[in-house]
């Protein structure tokens, strides 16, 4: 098996790459000195195994102060994502030769990790509900906890023939609404965001998945939705209190969009504004679903109950046992 090569990863390109020999903080020239007799003069001709490339990268990341486990996780994510294989397949084939196109850009990718850039942004995509969504610094990286929210909605929606209209407030990459539409053909989606850049990413993902019945609008909560009602409203809004920025991971603060992370009023501002319009924008028996901060459950439940006194409110825990989701049944 060791004489077989993977195909060149699509995101690495098929044309001859332009190589920047400036290594920056890295000792990049050393990583491909696998041959003591002759060192390649063209990086596209580099021959190095995946395990050798990973070992070199691990040393660089550890020297930069990254924990060993984080370094291994980031490198495995990059390698499996670039090669489009799962972790098990990656581990079983680490002795194989790294594709030349990937070998050429590997030092640059590792240098980005050294700067704390998330590996999802380096690859340009992130997994969500079994699919890969385009992501970059214009949108948040989808988290596993949000998959649980989507799964809850899908189980509640069930099967049937009638279309279900769904509003996704603060759509970001589009991962929530587009997954709902891909998993349930009855869903007719409407996605909003205050960021033109985020909407551009969400639209690019919708085009990749060839989604119809999905509409986009730049809207600050309900500002552009006068007269529209929906069977389901879902939102994973910014919910981190502005004063808690200092508690965030450095990579999140440096690279992920702050307008999708932080909110005023102790992180509750967007929930308050959504709650104020639920009666107007939900159908007679509509439902609303929210992802929340793990300490925000009682406060969000209270504000939703105040907005819809007759509604049934359900607070649900995630796989870690933390309060992370709320359902409002009108």
């Amino acid at each position: 098996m060791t004489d077989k090569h993977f195909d060149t990863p699509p995101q690495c390109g098929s044309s001859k790459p332009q190589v920047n020999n400036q290594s920056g903080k890295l000792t990049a020239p050393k990583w491909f000195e696998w041959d003591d007799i002759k060192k390649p003069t063209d990086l596209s001709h580099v021959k190095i195994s995946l395990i050798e490339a990973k070992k070199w990268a691990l040393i660089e990341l550890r020297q930069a102060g990254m924990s060993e486990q984080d370094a291994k996780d980031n490198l495995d994510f990059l390698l499996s994502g670039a090669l489009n294989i799962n972790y098990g397949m990656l581990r079983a084939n680490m002795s194989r030769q790294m594709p030349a196109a990937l070998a050429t850009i590997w030092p640059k990718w590792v240098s980005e990790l050294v700067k704390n850039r998330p590996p999802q942004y380096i690859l340009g995509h992130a997994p969500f509900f079994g699919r890969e969504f385009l992501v970059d610094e214009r949108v948040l990286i989808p988290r596993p906890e949000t998959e649980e929210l989507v799964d809850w909605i899908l189980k509640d929606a069930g099967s049937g023939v009638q279309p279900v209209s769904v509003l996704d407030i603060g759509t970001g990459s589009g991962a929530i609404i587009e997954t709902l539409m891909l998993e349930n053909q009855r869903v007719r989606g409407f996605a909003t965001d205050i960021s033109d850049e985020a909407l551009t990413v969400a639209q690019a993902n919708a085009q990749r998945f060839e989604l119809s019945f999905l509409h986009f609008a730049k809207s600050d909560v309900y500002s552009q939705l006068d007269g529209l009602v929906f069977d389901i409203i879902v939102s994973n809004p910014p919910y981190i209190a502005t004063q808690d920025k200092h508690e965030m991971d450095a990579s999140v603060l440096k690279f992920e969009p702050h307008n999708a992370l932080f909110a005023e009023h102790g992180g509750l501002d967007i929930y308050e504004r959504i709650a104020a319009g639920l009666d107007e924008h939900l159908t007679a028996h509509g439902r609303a679903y929210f992802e929340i901060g793990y300490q925000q459950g009682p406060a969000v439940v209270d504000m939703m109950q105040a907005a819809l006194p007759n509604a049934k409110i359900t607070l649900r825990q995630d796989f870690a046992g933390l309060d992370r989701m709320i359902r409002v049944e009108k």
Side-chain angles (χ1 to χ4, degrees):
M1 291 182 63
T2 57
D3 60 341
K4 296 180 181 179
H5 298 176
F6 288 111
D7 292 334
T8 300
Q11 67 270 25
C12 296
S14 58
S15 59
K16 183 176 180 179
Q18 298 296 314
V19 177
N20 181 356
N21 290 318
Q22 298 299 318
S23 60
K25 294 183 179 180
L26 294 177
T27 54
K30 294 181 180 179
W31 83 276
F32 58 73
E33 292 176 3
W34 57 278
D35 189 336
D36 293 333
I37 301 175
K38 184 178 180 181
K39 183 167 60 179
T41 57
D42 186 339
L43 287 183
S44 65
H45 295 159
V46 169
K47 294 182 180 179
I48 188 170
S49 69
L50 294 169
I51 188 71
E52 289 171 323
K54 181 179 176 180
K55 285 180 178 178
W56 166 81
L58 185 59
I59 292 171
E60 295 289 340
L61 295 177
R62 294 291 288 122
Q63 289 179 343
M66 188 177 293
S67 72
E68 183 170 0
Q69 190 59 55
D70 284 347
K72 288 180 177 179
D73 289 345
N74 285 335
L75 294 172
D76 284 346
F77 184 90
L78 280 183
L79 288 171
S80 59
L83 298 168
N84 195 27
I85 56 177
N86 61 38
Y87 285 177
M89 183 68 71
L90 176 65
R91 293 188 179 98
N93 290 277
M94 289 299 288
S95 61
R96 287 194 178 192
Q97 182 175 314
M98 179 179 274
L102 179 55
T104 302
I105 62 174
W106 186 244
K108 182 179 183 298
W109 281 11
V110 176
S111 72
E112 293 298 307
L113 287 178
V114 166
K115 299 171 187 174
N116 281 323
R117 190 179 183 208
Q120 295 90 338
Y121 289 159
I122 295 173
L123 278 178
H125 55 81
F128 188 82
F129 223 87
R131 299 179 180 86
E132 295 292 330
F133 282 79
L134 300 173
V135 295
D136 57 30
E137 284 82 349
R138 294 174 291 181
V139 296
L140 288 184
I141 298 166
R143 264 66 174 186
E145 295 84 356
T146 309
E147 293 181 337
E148 294 187 78
L149 180 68
V150 169
D151 188 59
W152 193 10
I153 299 171
L154 288 170
K155 287 179 179 177
D156 281 355
S159 58
V161 295
Q162 293 298 320
V164 178
S165 58
V166 181
L167 168 64
D168 181 14
I169 298 175
T171 194
S173 65
I176 291 177
I177 188 62
E178 292 174 22
T179 298
L180 291 173
M181 295 182 71
L182 290 163
E183 294 292 323
N184 190 326
Q185 301 303 307
R186 299 166 59 211
V187 173
R188 304 293 183 263
F190 202 106
T192 68
D193 206 289
I194 62 171
S195 167
D196 287 317
E197 293 183 332
L199 288 171
T200 297
V201 176
Q203 288 170 328
N205 278 314
Q207 290 172 2
R208 289 178 63 245
F209 295 126
E210 299 181 348
L211 286 172
S212 56
F213 304 110
L214 177 54
H215 304 278
F216 294 93
K218 182 179 181 180
S219 181
D220 187 359
V221 188
Y222 304 114
S223 64
Q224 302 301 313
L225 305 180
D226 288 348
L228 298 181
V229 293
F230 303 90
D231 298 307
I232 293 174
I233 293 176
V234 59
S235 184
N236 178 18
Y239 56 71
I240 301 169
T242 306
Q243 61 268 27
D244 291 338
K245 285 185 179 182
H246 65 282
E247 298 180 5
M248 302 299 296
D249 184 81
S251 65
V252 174
L253 284 177
K254 186 175 181 180
F255 292 98
E256 298 201 53
H258 285 202
N259 65 352
L261 289 168
F262 302 105
E264 301 295 332
H265 299 176
L268 299 174
D269 178 59
I270 308 302
Y271 297 112
E272 294 170 351
R273 296 165 61 194
I274 292 175
L278 280 183
D279 192 31
E280 177 184 352
H281 292 283
L282 271 180
T283 56
H285 301 286
R287 296 180 177 185
Y289 298 80
F290 307 99
E291 183 172 325
I292 61 171
Y294 70 96
Q295 294 179 316
Q296 296 173 326
V300 178
V301 167
D302 287 347
M303 74 173 67
M304 297 298 168
Q305 200 73 74
L308 293 173
N310 296 320
K312 179 182 177 182
I313 314 293
T314 305
L315 177 62
R316 189 167 179 171
Q317 289 72 43
D318 64 9
F319 54 76
L322 301 173
D323 292 343
R324 293 301 301 272
M325 294 164 280
I326 283 179
R327 180 181 63 194
V328 180
E329 299 174 82
K330 192 173 179 181

